[in-house]
Amino acid sequence: MAAAFSLLQQPARRDPMASTSGASQEQEAYFGRVAPLNLLPAWKVMPIYAPAEPKTPCLPAVWHFREIKPHLLESVRVISAKEAERRALLLHNPGLTGAAHGITQTISGDYQIMLPGEIAPAHRHTQTAFRLFLEGDGAFTAIDGEKIYMKRGDLIIQPPGLWHHHGHEGGPGTPPVIWFDALDVGLCGIFESTFFHSFTQDEFPVTRPVGSTRGRYGSGVVPASYRPQPLDYRMYAYPYAATRGALDSLRATEACDPYDGWKVRYVNPTTGDHAMTTMAAHLQILPSGMTTAPYRSTDGAVFVVVEGHGRTVVGGTTLDWEPNDVFVVPSWQWHHHEIAGEAVLFSYSDRAAQERLGLWFEERGNR
Ligand code: 1HN
């Protein structure tokens, strides 16, 4: 990206704090006179509004599934899926304080659990969401009248504005199902554009057979009359077997990328653009023993470990991970992965939104 390089290669500018650190008595008195008019001198807030490079209060962090699962299992005794609407534990970035929460300032992440026979009631919202299914059998999510059954590693995208509910159809005594959810909660919050409606009944009527959308839009064809609109996407289910197959196929003929190993991007098959309008999602495979080259980008990225184990070094912090763990690399922080056992990492971020707004930048370091 050309713009990225001109911005990245600019010489460090003078310290903007210098203009405010030594405010004179006269300047302080002036601030005091304009404040009652709800005015702030720009030169006073410039360092906050315009740091020389991206700054984030978010910290690198890891959530270990091994530690969290007992609490998830306990949550089913505390509240029903129906009462909770979504019985999920949100991953809170330890660097965020006050009203701000989320795994970064723009996106959320949570583990959700359901027991056999339960329904998580239907609702719709302006947030875009997705689920990455982790464990158990018999779970479905129903989107806009179509049930989608979920297996380990499947990505199911929930477009904004469509009614959805979830259920677990396993018989009595079947183990609970657990998946990972994400939403662009903070992003919609910043834009103050969030709408949320609960449906009048627990289940939104199912009107289309299983497999309808993937069959119609994910087979290299579209219904003849369909014209994709920029914000419209019709494919919701990305089964793990297909995505993992794409990685294996890349690996068979392409060299291992020093930054990414072998990596694929989830796309809207009718446009080739990101699969969601706000969040980008990727899946990558990294061979055992690999240490990736240092990399940073302006999108704070969240990784869900699907297979393997290893650690990720973010600045001075080392995050160890194994399957079903989740870790976050905040915006613009140098990081690399050290792979102990061949790993498959799913990752997501607000990169799709940043790219659309011309705000996304990356930098590749040398080993
Ligand atoms: C939500 O709608 C779901 O639909 C899951 O499953 C987690 C966390 C915060 C706000 C809405 C879902 C959520 C959520």
Side-chain angles (χ1 to χ4, degrees):
M1 210 172 166
F5 285 100
S6 57
L7 269 172
L8 292 176
Q9 287 168 359
Q10 261 189 25
R13 63 181 197 188
R14 71 190 162 73
D15 177 7
M17 287 301 277
S19 60
T20 53
S21 49
S24 66
Q25 266 191 337
E26 188 191 354
Q27 286 169 344
E28 289 292 354
Y30 176 79
F31 300 157
R33 287 195 293 281
V34 296
L37 301 173
N38 296 324
L39 295 171
L40 267 179
W43 65 89
K44 196 170 152 70
V45 294
M46 208 99 103
I48 304 161
Y49 279 19
E53 58 173 31
K55 293 241 181 305
T56 175
C58 292
L59 297 171
V62 62
W63 287 262
H64 295 295
F65 187 70
R66 177 172 23 94
E67 290 171 5
I68 294 168
K69 189 172 174 183
H71 297 287
L72 272 174
L73 293 172
E74 196 188 344
S75 74
V76 306
R77 291 197 298 273
V78 175
I79 195 164
S80 70
K82 182 169 169 150
E83 194 188 344
E85 190 148 331
R86 296 298 182 262
R87 189 175 46 220
L89 288 177
L90 285 157
L91 279 47
H92 174 79
N93 190 294
L96 293 178
T97 51
H101 61 84
I103 197 161
T104 74
Q105 301 219 74
T106 54
I107 55 184
S108 70
D110 65 82
Y111 292 104
Q112 184 165 171
I113 183 166
M114 290 190 69
L115 292 176
E118 283 191 312
I119 293 285
H123 66 208
R124 66 178 181 188
H125 38 69
T126 35
Q127 288 112 342
T128 298
F130 69 77
R131 307 180 211 293
L132 185 77
F133 193 76
L134 298 179
E135 62 177 50
D137 289 312
F140 71 85
T141 180
I143 302 177
D144 195 30
E146 177 181 333
K147 271 186 179 177
I148 298 168
Y149 289 91
M150 303 187 279
K151 294 204 298 287
R152 179 162 178 83
D154 292 356
L155 175 74
I156 317 293
I157 283 172
Q158 173 61 52
L162 299 185
W163 294 108
H164 56 286
H165 63 274
H166 320 304
H168 180 350
E169 290 182 350
T174 316
V177 293
I178 298 175
W179 65 79
F180 181 80
D181 294 293
L183 289 85
D184 51 6
V185 169
L187 192 65
C188 295
I190 289 164
F191 285 122
E192 298 173 334
S193 63
T194 305
F195 293 88
F196 178 97
H197 304 142
S198 293
F199 193 57
T200 47
Q201 295 147 40
D202 287 353
E203 296 175 58
F204 185 76
V206 172
T207 50
R208 281 175 293 132
V210 170
S212 294
T213 29
R214 192 168 160 82
R216 286 175 210 188
Y217 299 95
S219 310
V221 295
V222 291
S225 61
Y226 178 69
R227 295 284 174 275
Q229 304 296 317
L231 300 180
D232 175 47
Y233 41 104
R234 299 293 179 92
M235 202 164 89
Y236 311 142
Y238 295 75
Y240 189 59
T243 322
R244 185 72 167 77
L247 282 179
D248 289 338
S249 145
L250 266 183
R251 187 181 192 170
T253 56
E254 307 303 316
C256 181
D257 181 271
Y259 297 91
D260 290 332
W262 293 273
K263 188 170 186 176
V264 291
R265 179 163 61 93
Y266 290 88
V267 296
N268 172 344
T270 67
T271 61
D273 209 340
H274 291 290
M276 296 169 275
T277 53
T278 53
M279 291 186 281
H282 293 86
L283 191 75
Q284 68 194 119
I285 187 162
L286 298 150
S288 186
M290 180 178 188
T291 294
T292 61
Y295 177 81
R296 62 177 175 172
S297 58
T298 52
D299 54 320
V302 180
F303 293 79
V304 185
V305 182
V306 184
E307 298 178 32
H309 58 283
R311 57 190 197 177
T312 298
V313 181
V314 190
T317 308
T318 299
L319 310 170
D320 286 289
W321 41 259
E322 61 182 12
N324 295 352
D325 287 358
V326 174
F327 62 94
V328 57
V329 177
S331 167
W332 210 235
Q333 304 204 350
W334 286 111
H335 63 279
H336 70 267
H337 307 295
E338 296 173 9
I339 309 304
E342 180 166 291
V344 177
L345 300 178
F346 171 86
S347 57
Y348 70 101
S349 74
D350 60 16
R351 176 172 166 176
Q354 290 200 29
E355 283 182 4
R356 278 167 218 282
L357 299 173
L359 297 171
W360 186 78
F361 302 100
E362 66 174 344
E363 194 175 4
R364 287 164 194 271
N366 299 316
R367 218 185 315 249

